[in-house]
Amino acid sequence: MLSMAGKVAIVAGAGSVGPPGGAIWGNGRATAILLARQGASVFLLDIDADAMGETKAIIESEGGVCATQCCDMTVAAEVGEMVRACIDRFRRIDILVNNVGGSAPGDPVTMTEQTWDQQIDLNLKTTFLGCKFVLPVMVEQGRGAIVNIASVSGMRNDFLSGRSHAAYSAAKAGVIQFSRSVAGTYARQGIRVNTVVPGLMHTPLVEHRLARSVGGNDVQKLIDARNAAVPMGHMGDAMDVAHAVLFLASDEARFITATEIIVDGGSSAAMP
């Protein structure tokens, strides 16, 4: 069940923030490792060579197969070169996981135009470019599965938090609709496109970025507050996202396209 044997998967954002050897993984690292555990050959992408190398070391220590490429997914030339490198190494591309993003605070008045542009590029353009260069390969093969990572911020608004990240929300909403549009365009060519929509997750971002930016440097207080905000009583983790990606990328999901799996412990149902 959910075997990836014989398949080649590209995972963008396959590193993880935080110090080396961290016990908590980001979504990209968890997804890459899980796909490798299920038998896929994984082509790892990140702008941080050291973080990506740590993911590679974990996969290889478990007997998995992978290769790495430093790639800025906002730059078309680098994405195109990455796809060519993957084909040269593995001869095919069966799965693409677009997992690049990050939020910056601000509403339309407080946010600079530069920050807006950077947020759209980081969270939406990266998905576009990944699809732009991988889709021709999948069309030639006659099959493929693309999984894009969005956020519940692109579906619901938590007005009670007192924080605004308008560009991030807009971009992640764009990822969801972009995925649906591409899915419809390529459905008859054997290519499925779906989206995983995470909610509050306990990833390294919580302890190494959010604790400073919104948590007043009190990590435990921030973790407790995020846990309390989830109907199930706790945040998810990167493996919860990875398992959703694995399912959507698998042959068991062969009749599923143009839709989303929300991984949020019920949080979005409680939002306005």
Side-chain angles (χ1 to χ4, degrees):
M1 294 291 288
L2 303 181
S3 172
M4 295 286 118
K7 295 189 176 183
V8 175
I10 293 175
V11 179
S16 192
V17 302
I24 301 173
W25 294 346
N27 295 332
R29 175 170 291 171
T31 297
I33 291 170
L34 182 60
L35 290 172
R37 287 174 178 172
Q38 296 302 108
S41 297
V42 187
F43 199 63
L44 309 174
L45 311 178
D46 209 285
I47 58 173
D48 187 331
D50 291 337
M52 180 171 53
E54 186 173 350
T55 304
K56 181 176 187 287
I58 294 170
I59 290 173
E60 292 182 339
S61 73
E62 297 180 353
V65 176
C66 66
T68 63
Q69 175 110 351
C70 284
C71 179
D72 184 340
M73 292 291 292
T74 68
V75 179
E78 293 194 25
V79 179
E81 175 57 31
M82 171 274 293
V83 170
R84 288 189 290 271
C86 184
I87 292 296
D88 288 344
R89 175 66 173 82
F90 293 116
R91 317 312 303 174
R92 62 183 297 110
I93 300 171
D94 301 288
I95 298 160
L96 169 65
V97 182
N98 280 308
N99 172 62
V100 176
S103 65
D107 60 47
V109 175
T110 61
M111 179 176 288
T112 67
E113 183 179 0
Q114 181 184 23
T115 298
W116 170 270
D117 290 342
Q118 290 171 340
Q119 282 285 284
I120 298 302
D121 284 354
L122 182 64
N123 292 289
L124 182 55
K125 183 181 179 180
T126 53
T127 299
F128 159 71
L129 288 178
C131 291
K132 180 177 182 63
F133 288 96
V134 167
L135 278 167
V137 177
M138 291 182 171
V139 168
E140 185 175 351
Q141 294 170 174
R143 63 177 297 164
I146 298 173
V147 183
N148 300 319
I149 308 301
S151 166
V152 294
S153 295
M155 301 179 68
R156 301 285 191 274
N157 293 294
D158 181 11
F159 298 110
L160 300 179
S161 71
R163 291 182 288 114
S164 176
H165 38 243
Y168 179 74
S169 295
K172 289 304 188 182
V175 169
I176 293 170
Q177 189 54 42
F178 173 81
S179 301
R180 293 171 181 170
S181 177
V182 176
T185 301
Y186 288 90
R188 291 188 179 273
Q189 299 182 68
I191 300 166
R192 299 183 299 104
V193 186
N194 293 291
T195 308
V196 172
V197 186
L200 292 173
M201 314 303 292
H202 192 173
T203 67
L205 287 173
V206 174
E207 299 182 17
H208 298 285
R209 291 186 188 173
L210 293 181
R212 294 193 303 271
S213 62
V214 302
N217 289 318
D218 189 333
V219 174
Q220 192 56 53
K221 182 178 179 181
L222 177 62
I223 290 173
D224 291 344
R226 286 168 67 91
N227 285 337
V230 180
M232 292 183 71
H234 61 86
M235 289 182 282
D237 62 29
M239 271 298 177
D240 295 312
V241 175
H243 279 287
V245 173
L246 172 65
F247 171 66
L248 289 174
S250 72
D251 290 340
E252 281 78 3
R254 64 185 183 180
F255 200 55
I256 299 174
T257 194
T259 194
E260 302 81 43
I261 290 182
I262 301 174
V263 185
D264 72 348
S267 296
S268 59
M271 292 179 181

